[in-house]
Amino acid sequence: MQLTTQPTGAPVTAVYWMSHAWLGTHVEPGVLLDVADGRVAGVRTGVGTPPPGATALHGLTVPGLANTHSHAFHRALRSTVQVGSGTFWTWRETMYRTAARLTPDTYYALARATYAEMALAGITAVGEFHYLHHAPDGTPYDDPNAMGEALIAAAAEAGIRITLLDTAYLAAGFGQGPGRHQLRFSDTTADAWAERASLLKGDGELVVIGAAIHSVRAVPAAQLATVAGWAQARAVPLHVHLSEQTAENDACLSAHGRTPTRLLADHGVLGPRTTGIHNTHLTAEDIELLGTSRTGTCMCPTTERDLADGIGPADALRRAGSPLSLGSDSHAVIDLFEEARAMELNERLRTHVRGHWTAAALLRAASADGHAALGRPDAGTLEPGAPADLATVALDSVRTAGPVPRLAAEAAVFAATAADVRHTVVAGRHIVRDGRHTRIDDVPGALASAIAALHG
């Protein structure tokens, strides 16, 4: 038996026995994990059977998954937006109509159910790109952060961590004020956004308060540095939608004579705490700027293909030095295994070559690198001192049965789905047990009820 411990000084509060665990480089059978104060206190290998008092997790246990990019209210669009045809821009009109119906109470109900769906999928932390700040006519609520607080409360009830990326969204486009759709998103200026966002509180463990620039078209160039400076002063994550559509690139070139990436670089937005979302339509110079600045890239393949955005240059970004993470974005599906393999399979379609990322690299994008992008660089590993966040994937489902145990990571990444997640543990607490949420009895019912309230 091998023993690795972390002297926390706190008593062990939970013990989990894992029939197989992914330890970053390989699958290890018979692993015992001690938890104290919500963190991994010890890892023991070579434990053939669960000892008395240990909770058994049968399957492949991996670090809890990180959903780096979410718009919780988009969950209400699933299937509705699959009727007919169109583009990203026509899809956006349906999204606006749904956004206009939300209140703090209905948003809490929808987000609670959506985050519970994430927990069922093995997701232990979410990055919520939040811009529904005010009432539909732009009037602030009595509590100016009522919508953001509803999201924080929803994540707590669903049992997952949240990085609330409070988003500056000030304009409808280059040289334009907010249109009627953007009134509830806009604080009018970056300074007013910063004043409101500063009222939000996080605990650094379950709740991190970060920042976001919706896009270069939604925040005037002269105000980009205000948002970046707010995030830098607090050493918190800063995210931005970047070059998702060629029309955005064309408009930016027309307005500023440079690409969105160059514009962000010129105003001090890029850097190792910054993550570009999508990064789909980039020039060679854009890729170099992102890589040399260590700006991250969050790929959202299921949304990017659903919206016909295109396939981003993920492999070129990786080689340039941009850390890759994954998000479910519009929640066409909530399945980080699907996002991980889609990034690889998209690159195969583009290049006609297989094997750009190993299963290990894709698991890291779905866990450790995602957590780092959300302001938790110590998360995403099964090592002493890390948060005790775990997800266990069944190895005996019709999708995963058959491969030898040493190939369990490949089976999880390239064959499993969210439906194969059997257990989810957050801060040492069992949130999903045997495929059922321990706090919310009927997650499908909660989703159906919350969505019906918006479409009624």
Side-chain angles (χ1 to χ4, degrees):
M1 178 186 297
Q2 296 178 341
L3 173 64
T4 306
T5 60
Q6 174 79 8
T8 64
V12 170
T13 54
V15 179
Y16 290 95
W17 177 84
M18 300 169 281
S19 64
H20 295 86
W22 175 250
L23 298 185
T25 58
H26 66 286
V27 175
E28 182 76 28
V31 177
L32 201 66
L33 185 142
D34 296 326
V35 177
D37 278 348
R39 291 183 173 265
V40 177
V43 180
R44 286 173 274 176
T45 60
V47 184
T49 58
T55 298
L57 306 178
H58 291 280
L60 174 67
T61 298
V62 300
L65 307 179
N67 189 354
T68 306
H69 188 64
S70 162
H71 300 289
F73 76 95
H74 287 192
R75 177 61 180 83
L77 303 176
R78 189 180 294 179
S79 299
T80 302
V81 290
Q82 302 301 342
V83 178
S85 61
T87 66
F88 167 86
W89 306 101
T90 55
W91 166 89
R92 195 172 64 155
E93 295 303 311
T94 304
M95 180 270 288
Y96 283 148
R97 288 194 295 273
T98 299
R101 298 186 183 110
L102 288 161
T103 67
D105 288 341
T106 59
Y107 204 8
Y108 166 79
L110 177 59
R112 171 181 175 270
T114 302
Y115 295 155
E117 181 181 355
M118 291 184 194
L120 289 167
I123 292 165
T124 58
V126 61
E128 184 61 39
F129 200 102
H130 166 56
Y131 53 83
L132 274 70
H133 302 307
H134 309 300
D137 64 356
T139 302
Y141 292 103
D142 291 340
D143 174 357
N145 285 307
M147 295 293 265
E149 296 290 353
L151 292 166
I152 291 171
E157 182 68 14
I160 68 173
R161 303 178 194 268
I162 186 170
T163 296
L164 188 74
L165 298 155
D166 196 278
T167 303
Y169 192 145
L170 309 175
F174 296 99
Q176 304 175 39
R180 63 183 179 88
H181 294 306
Q182 290 87 24
L183 287 174
R184 77 178 312 179
F185 310 158
S186 179
D187 291 296
T188 69
T189 69
D191 285 335
W193 165 84
E195 183 178 356
R196 180 189 50 73
S198 295
L199 300 175
L200 287 161
K201 303 299 181 186
D203 61 12
E205 286 290 330
L206 295 178
V207 180
V208 172
I209 304 300
I213 293 163
H214 179 273
S215 57
V216 294
R217 70 179 185 274
V219 176
Q223 299 185 60
L224 291 170
T226 299
V227 185
W230 187 94
Q232 183 176 12
R234 290 161 175 77
V236 297
L238 173 63
H239 290 202
V240 54
H241 289 133
L242 181 56
S243 290
E244 182 179 2
Q245 291 286 322
T246 55
E248 177 182 280
N249 290 356
D250 294 342
C252 189
L253 286 166
S254 177
H256 296 289
R258 65 200 80 179
T259 66
T261 303
R262 169 52 74 181
L263 185 68
L264 294 175
D266 291 347
H267 289 273
V269 175
L270 303 186
R273 287 196 186 92
T274 300
T275 298
I277 310 301
H278 303 303
N279 295 359
T280 306
H281 302 285
L282 303 177
T283 66
E285 182 192 31
D286 292 340
I287 292 170
E288 182 180 7
L289 284 169
L290 294 168
T292 56
S293 65
R294 297 293 295 168
T295 298
T297 294
C298 176
M299 289 290 176
C300 307
T302 66
T303 292
E304 289 148 8
R305 70 193 185 199
D306 183 59
L307 299 183
D309 287 343
I311 299 173
D315 193 41
L317 284 160
R318 175 187 62 82
R319 286 186 278 106
S322 177
L324 299 177
S325 58
L326 299 164
S328 63
D329 191 359
S330 69
H331 311 316
V333 297
I334 294 177
D335 188 337
L336 265 290
F337 299 112
E338 176 63 20
E339 304 294 347
R341 65 174 159 266
M343 187 165 69
E344 164 67 24
L345 298 181
N346 283 351
E347 199 67 22
R348 293 182 187 187
L349 286 174
R350 185 219 303 277
T351 63
H352 301 177
V353 175
R354 303 174 76 243
H356 300 271
W357 290 275
T358 62
L362 293 171
L363 277 175
R364 181 174 179 84
S367 56
D369 288 340
H371 289 292
L374 297 180
R376 295 187 180 89
D378 59 343
T381 65
L382 302 183
E383 297 177 357
D389 296 354
L390 324 169
T392 303
V393 183
L395 296 179
D396 58 357
S397 78
V398 293
R399 289 165 292 277
T400 59
V404 296
R406 67 179 177 82
L407 297 178
E410 284 75 11
V413 171
F414 289 103
T417 72
D420 294 313
V421 173
R422 291 293 174 264
H423 303 280
T424 304
V425 173
V426 180
R429 297 185 294 270
H430 217 147
I431 302 301
V432 173
R433 187 190 300 268
D434 296 321
R436 294 189 62 84
H437 203 286
T438 60
R439 299 184 176 190
I440 300 172
D441 289 336
D442 181 7
V443 176
L447 284 163
S449 176
I451 294 168
L454 298 180
H455 296 316

